[in-house]
C-alpha cells in the first residue's frame, strides 16, 4: 500500500509539474508579436529629425510610427496621472486594483479600473473596450509577461506611441503636432499636462469640446506635479493660465511630393528621415511660390527645384511642384522632379565636355554656324541668325543650336547616347537612331532628378581629382540620395580614367560661367554674383519646358518651369523663367568657392588666334590657352594657307603667270565660302581672299561658290499658301566675291542671274531636279535635289 501511495504521489507530482510547465510555456508565448498591428502614418523628417510632412494612416488615424524616445516631461506627467508606482510593480498593482474594486461596488458601476500603464498597453494592443473581470485578468497576465521582456522605458514608449488622444489622433507625436503645432520635445508643461490627461477619457475629452472638464483635469495634474516637486510654483501658476487648444492644426506639408515618392518606393508607414534641410526647403518653397504668382499671369502654372550637396549627392531641398490654386487643378500633384520632359539645350555641356575629353576639339576651336539640312532635320539658332563660325566654348555659352548639331555630328549620336546613359540618364529608352541629331536640341527627354545628379557627379569627379592624386573613381557618378541612411557604395577603386576627365569638366564649367544671352533678352545681365556659378539654361520646342541648372563645388541647383499638361506658352524660356529662380536660390545658399584647376591633366599650348585650332607653322598670330592633354592630338589650323599675291596685293597669282620674284607670299585666314559669307559680317577683321588675276586662273584655284540652301541631294517640301496653292522655295548661294555675276540653270534651262545677293525663288514640279550655277569666270557648281509634294495649278 505504501508503495502504491508513493507511486501515486510521484505520478501526481509529475502531472502537476507538466501542467505548470505547460502554463509557463503558454504564459511565455502568450504575448503577440508584434504587439501592435495597426497601420501607421508615413512621416517625413529632415536630416535633423524636424517634421517635413506626414500622410494619414490607411485606417484614417493620425498614428505616427512608434516614438524612439518619450519626452521626459511627458514621462513624469503620465506617471503621476496614471501610475505613480510604475517603476516598482511587476505589471499590475494589487493595491490599485483593490481600491478600484471597492469604488466600483460603492458606485454600482465601473468608475475605475486600477490599470497600470503596462496593463493599458496590453488593452490598447488588444483593442478590447470590454471592461469585464475576465478581460482584466487577461490584461494582468499579459502585463506581467510584458514586463519580463520589456524595460520600463520600452513599455512607456509603447504607451506614448499608441495611447488615444481624442478624435483620430493616436500617440504623443501626432497629438503634439495636431493640437499644438510643435514636436513633443518642444511642448510646455501646460501642453504636456493637457496631453497626459487625454488618454484617460479620449472619447469624452478632446480639444475643442468639454473645455471645463479638460481645464480642471489639466490643472489638477499641474498641482500634483508641483506637490511632487517636479515643477516649481511659478511654472505651475503660469501653466495653469495657458489657454487650451481650440481646433487641430494642419500638419506641415513642406515636401509632399517627396513623401509620396518615398511611400511609393516602399517606405509606407515608416518614419522616413531624409537628407533635406528644413530651413532651405522652406526658403526654396517660398521662392517657387513668389515666382509662381508672377508666372501664373502668363498661364504658366508649374515649377520645380532640386538642390543637391555635391560631395555626398544628398538632396537638400525637393520642391517638386507649385501649390494648388483654390478650386483649380493644374497638375500640382505631379512630381515634376521625376517626370520626363524634353531637354531643350540642357545637354550641350555634356557634349562639349565629351569632345574635349576625346581630344576632338579645343575650347577655342571654330565650329561652323551656317544653315544646314540633314534629311528632314533643319536646326535653327534661337535668334534665327548665323555667325558663320564660332569658338566651341562660345557656342556653348551662347547656346547656339547649329554648332551643337555640327559637334554631335562629329562626335557621333551613338557614342553620345551611350555616354549619357553611363553617367546617369534613365529616360533614353529607345535606340539612339530614334533620337538622331535632334538629341542635343531636346529630341530626347530627361528628368530633373537625373540631370541634377549628372551635373553633381561631374562636379564630384572634379573635386576628388586632387584628393585621389590624379586618379578617378567611377563610383563618383551616382544618382542623388534623399534617405539619410543611403550613401554611395564605397568602392574606392581608383583608375586612370573615368567617363569624363577632370580637365574637360573644368573647362566645361569655365565655359558655363560665361553663359550670356545677348541675342535673346538682356535679362542675363541681372544675374550678378560675387561667387562663380557654372550655369546653363534650356528651352524645349514649342516653349513647353524651361530649364536652368547651376553648379558650384558644393551645390547643384536644378530648376524646371512650365505646365504639367505640356501646354506651351509664349515667353516660356529657360533664361526668362527658370534662371531667375535658380539665382534666387543661390542667393540663399551663398556659394563661396570655385573649382581647382587640374593642372596636372592639362597643357598650355599656342593656338591660332583666329581659328582656335592648334597653331600651325603659318599661323602668324597665336595665343596660349590651357587644354586637356588629349587636346594635343587635335589637328592644326586648317584655315590658314599660303597665298601668292602680285606686288599690288590685289590679285592672286601663280608661277604660270608671274615671276616668283614679283610675288608676295602671305599666310591668309580663309574660311569655306558659306562660313565666310556669314563670318565676315560679324567679324570686321576678316579679309576676303583676293581673286586670281585674269591671266592666272588655273584649275587649282580654290572654289569661290558654295550652296547655302539646299544642300546636295536634299529633299524639299514646298509649303502651301493660304489659297491652297504651293508656294516657292528660296535657293541661296554664297560667293567669295559677291559682285560677280552668277547664271542660274534649272534642269539645263536658264532661269536668271544674280549679283551681290545670290538668291532666287523657285517652284519646281515634284520630282528630281538639277540646279547648275556658273559665275562670270566660268566656275561651275551643280546641286541635285528632289521636290516631294506635287504642284497644283
Amino acid at each position: 500500500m505504501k508503495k502504491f501511495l508513493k507511486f501515486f504521489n510521484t505520478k501526481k507530482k509529475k502531472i502537476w509539474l507538466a501542467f505548470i510547465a505547460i502554463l509557463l510555456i503558454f504564459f511565455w508565448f502568450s504575448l503577440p508579436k508584434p504587439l501592435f498591428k495597426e497601420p501607421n502614418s508615413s512621416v517625413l523628417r529632415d536630416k535633423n529629425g524636424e517634421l517635413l510632412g506626414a500622410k494619414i494612416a490607411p485606417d484614417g488615424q493620425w498614428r505616427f510610427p512608434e516614438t524612439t524616445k518619450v519626452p521626459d516631461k511627458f514621462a513624469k506627467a503620465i506617471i503621476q496621472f496614471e501610475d505613480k508606482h510604475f517603476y516598482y510593480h511587476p505589471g499590475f498593482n494589487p493595491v490599485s486594483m483593490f481600491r478600484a474594486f471597492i469604488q466600483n461596488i460603492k458606485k454600482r458601476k465601473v468608475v475605475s479600473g486600477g490599470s497600470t500603464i503596462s496593463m493599458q498597453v496590453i488593452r490598447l494592443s488588444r483593442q478590447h473596450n470590454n471592461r469585464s473581470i475576465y478581460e482584466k485578468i487577461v490584461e494582468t497576465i499579459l502585463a506581467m509577461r510584458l514586463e519580463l521582456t520589456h524595460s520600463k522605458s520600452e513599455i512607456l514608449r509603447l504607451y506614448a506611441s499608441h495611447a488615444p488622444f481624442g478624435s483620430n489622433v493616436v500617440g504623443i507625436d501626432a497629438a503634439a503636432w495636431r493640437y499644438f503645432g510643435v514636436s513633443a520635445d518642444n511642448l510646455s508643461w501646460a501642453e504636456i499636462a493637457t496631453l497626459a490627461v487625454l488618454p484617460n477619457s479620449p472619447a469624452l475629452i478632446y480639444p475643442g469640446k468639454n473645455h471645463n472638464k479638460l481645464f480642471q483635469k489639466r490643472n489638477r495634474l499641474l498641482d500634483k506635479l508641483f506637490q511632487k516637486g517636479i515643477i516649481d510654483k511659478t511654472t505651475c501658476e503660469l501653466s495653469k493660465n495657458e489657454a487650451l487648444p481650440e481646433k487641430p492644426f494642419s500638419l506641415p506639408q513642406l515636401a509632399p511630393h517627396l513623401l509620396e515618392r518615398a511611400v511609393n518606393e516602399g517606405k509606407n508607414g515608416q518614419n522616413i528621415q531624409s537628407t533635406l534641410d528644413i530651413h532651405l526647403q522652406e526658403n526654396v518653397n517660398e521662392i517657387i511660390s513668389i515666382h509662381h504668382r508672377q508666372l501664373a499671369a502668363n498661364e504658366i502654372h508649374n515649377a520645380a527645384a532640386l538642390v543637391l550637396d555635391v560631395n555626398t549627392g544628398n538632396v537638400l531641398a525637393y520642391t517638386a511642384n507649385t501649390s494648388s490654386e483654390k478650386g483649380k487643378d493644374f497638375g500640382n500633384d505631379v512630381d515634376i522632379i521625376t517626370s520626363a520632359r524634353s531637354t531643350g539645350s540642357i545637354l550641350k555641356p555634356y557634349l562639349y565636355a565629351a569632345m574635349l575629353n576625346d581630344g576632338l576639339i579645343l575650347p577655342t576651336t571654330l565650329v561652323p554656324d551656317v544653315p544646314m539640312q540633314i534629311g528632314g532635320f533643319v536646326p535653327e539658332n534661337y535668334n534665327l541668325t548665323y555667325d558663320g563660325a564660332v569658338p566651341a566654348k562660345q557656342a556653348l555659352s551662347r547656346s547656339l543650336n547649329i554648332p551643337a548639331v555640327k559637334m554631335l555630328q562629329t562626335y557621333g549620336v551613338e557614342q553620345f547616347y551611350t555616354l549619357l546613359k553611363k553617367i546617369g540618364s534613365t529616360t533614353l529608352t529607345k535606340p539612339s537612331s530614334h533620337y538622331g541629331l535632334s538629341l542635343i536640341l531636346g529630341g530626347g527627354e530627361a528628368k530633373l532628378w537625373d540631370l541634377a545628379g549628372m551635373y553633381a557627379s561631374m562636379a564630384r569627379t572634379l573635386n576628388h581629382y586632387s584628393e585621389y592624386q590624379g586618379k578617378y573613381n567611377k563610383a563618383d557618378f551616382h544618382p542623388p540620395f534623399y534617405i539619410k541612411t543611403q550613401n554611395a557604395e564605397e568602392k574606392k577603386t581608383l583608375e586612370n580614367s573615368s567617363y569624363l576627365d577632370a580637365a574637360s569638366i573644368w573647362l566645361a564649367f569655365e565655359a558655363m560661367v560665361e553663359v550670356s544671352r545677348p541675342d535673346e533678352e538682356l535679362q542675363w545681365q541681372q544675374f550678378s554674383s560675387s561667387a562663380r556659378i557654372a550655369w546653363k539654361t534650356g528651352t524645349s520646342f514649342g516653349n513647353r519646358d524651361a530649364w536652368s541648372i547651376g553648379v558650384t563645388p558644393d551645390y547643384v541647383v536644378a530648376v524646371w518651369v512650365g505646365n504639367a499638361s505640356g501646354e506651351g506658352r509664349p515667353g516660356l524660356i529657360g533664361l526668362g523663367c527658370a534662371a531667375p529662380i535658380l539665382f534666387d536660390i543661390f542667393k540663399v545658399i551663398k556659394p563661396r568657392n570655385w573649382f581647382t584647376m587640374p593642372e596636372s591633366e592639362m597643357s598650355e599650348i599656342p593656338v591660332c588666334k583666329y581659328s582656335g585650332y592648334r597653331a600651325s607653322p603659318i599661323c602668324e598670330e597665336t595665343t596660349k590657352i590651357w587644354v586637356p592633354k588629349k587636346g594635343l592630338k587635335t589637328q592644326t589650323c586648317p584655315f590658314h594657307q599660303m597665298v601668292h599675291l602680285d606686288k599690288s596685293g590685289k590679285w592672286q597669282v601663280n608661277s604660270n603667270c608671274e615671276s616668283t620674284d614679283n610675288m608676295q607670299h602671305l599666310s591668309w585666314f580663309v574660311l569655306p565660302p558659306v562660313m565666310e559669307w556669314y563670318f565676315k559680317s560679324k567679324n570686321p577683321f576678316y579679309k576676303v581672299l583676293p581673286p586670281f588675276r585674269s591671266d592666272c586662273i588655273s584649275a587649282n584655284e580654290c572654289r569661290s561658290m558654295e550652296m547655302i540652301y539646299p544642300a546636295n541631294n536634299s529633299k524639299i517640301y514646298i509649303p502651301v499658301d493660304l489659297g491652297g496653292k504651293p508656294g516657292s522655295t528660296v535657293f541661296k548661294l554664297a560667293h567669295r566675291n559677291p559682285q560677280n555675276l552668277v547664271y542660274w540653270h534649272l534642269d539645263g534651262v536658264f532661269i536668271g542671274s544674280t549679283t551681290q545677293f545670290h538668291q532666287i525663288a523657285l517652284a519646281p514640279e515634284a520630282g528630281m531636279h538639277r540646279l547648275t550655277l556658273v559665275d562670270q569666270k566660268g566656275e561651275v557648281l551643280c546641286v541635285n535635289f528632289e521636290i516631294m509634294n506635287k504642284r497644283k495649278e
Side-chain angles (χ1 to χ4, degrees), residues 171-183:
I172 181 66
D173 288 337
W177 279 105
R178 286 290 282 162
Y179 296 144
F180 300 104
V182 296
S183 68

Side-chain angles (χ1 to χ4, degrees), residues 374-395:
I374 303 171
F377 180 49
V378 184
E380 293 179 325
N381 292 325
Y382 179 84
N383 55 14
L384 303 179
T385 64
Y386 310 95
D387 282 16
V390 291
K393 67 177 181 180
Q394 190 183 117

Side-chain angles (χ1 to χ4, degrees), residues 202-348:
L204 177 64
I205 305 172
Y206 62 91
K209 290 187 179 181
N210 304 301
H211 266 54
N212 288 336
K213 290 183 180 180
L214 179 58
F215 189 79
Q216 291 168 9
K217 272 200 165 190
R218 182 199 71 176
N219 287 356
R220 282 198 296 271
L221 176 55
L222 288 168
D223 287 335
K224 187 179 288 187
L225 292 171
F226 166 62
Q227 293 164 8
K228 293 293 182 180
I230 296 173
I231 60 176
D232 57 38
K233 185 174 181 61
T234 303
T235 301
C236 180
E237 293 303 321
L238 290 174
S239 297
K240 288 163 72 173
N241 288 326
E242 283 190 29
L244 293 174
E246 290 296 329
K247 76 183 206 183
F249 286 81
S250 297
L251 269 69
Q253 294 296 333
L254 298 177
H257 299 88
L258 183 60
L259 174 58
E260 190 66 30
R261 175 179 176 176
V263 168
N264 293 336
E265 292 179 357
K267 304 292 182 182
N268 188 35
Q270 297 182 29
N271 218 338
I272 307 155
Q273 186 158 13
S274 71
T275 59
L276 271 62
D277 181 309
I278 189 170
H279 303 297
L280 181 58
Q281 181 69 27
E282 289 173 334
N283 279 322
V284 172
N285 285 351
E286 180 62 21
I287 290 168
I288 290 288
S289 178
I290 291 170
H291 285 273
H292 174 224
R293 290 194 288 271
Q294 299 168 359
L295 293 165
N298 188 26
E299 296 297 326
I300 300 171
H301 299 288
N302 307 97
L306 182 66
V307 182
L308 305 183
D309 177 278
V310 164
N311 289 316
T312 62
N314 289 343
V315 178
L316 301 179
Y318 190 106
T319 304
N321 211 323
T322 52
S323 300
S324 57
E325 300 172 30
K326 274 190 175 181
K328 297 179 181 178
D329 180 15
F330 292 108
N332 305 99
D333 291 335
V334 176
D335 185 338
I336 297 295
I337 288 174
T338 58
S339 300
R341 309 289 303 200
S342 175
T343 59
S345 300
I346 209 72
L347 299 178
K348 289 175 182 175

Side-chain angles (χ1 to χ4, degrees), residues 61-91:
Q61 301 293 307
W62 284 111
R63 184 189 299 107
F64 283 18
E66 289 183 359
T67 184
T68 56
K69 183 182 178 183
V70 179
D72 185 59
K73 287 181 182 178
F74 182 75
K76 290 176 179 177
I78 199 67
I79 288 172
Q80 288 302 315
F81 185 75
E82 291 283 2
D83 190 357
K84 289 182 289 186
H85 303 288
F86 174 69
Y87 286 111
Y88 307 105
H89 60 65

Side-chain angles (χ1 to χ4, degrees), residues 133-152:
I133 294 175
Y134 168 77
E135 191 62 33
K136 185 67 68 177
I137 293 171
V138 171
E139 287 174 9
T140 302
I141 294 170
L142 291 180
M144 293 170 63
R145 171 62 186 84
L146 180 69
E147 294 269 353
L148 288 176
T149 52
H150 291 71
S151 67
K152 291 291 185 179

Side-chain angles (χ1 to χ4, degrees), residues 699-718:
N700 295 325
E701 181 183 348
C702 64
R703 299 192 64 83
S704 297
M705 293 191 295
E706 188 174 350
M707 205 68 193
I708 297 175
Y709 182 83
N712 194 33
N713 296 320
S714 292
K715 294 181 178 181
I716 302 172
Y717 184 89
I718 298 180

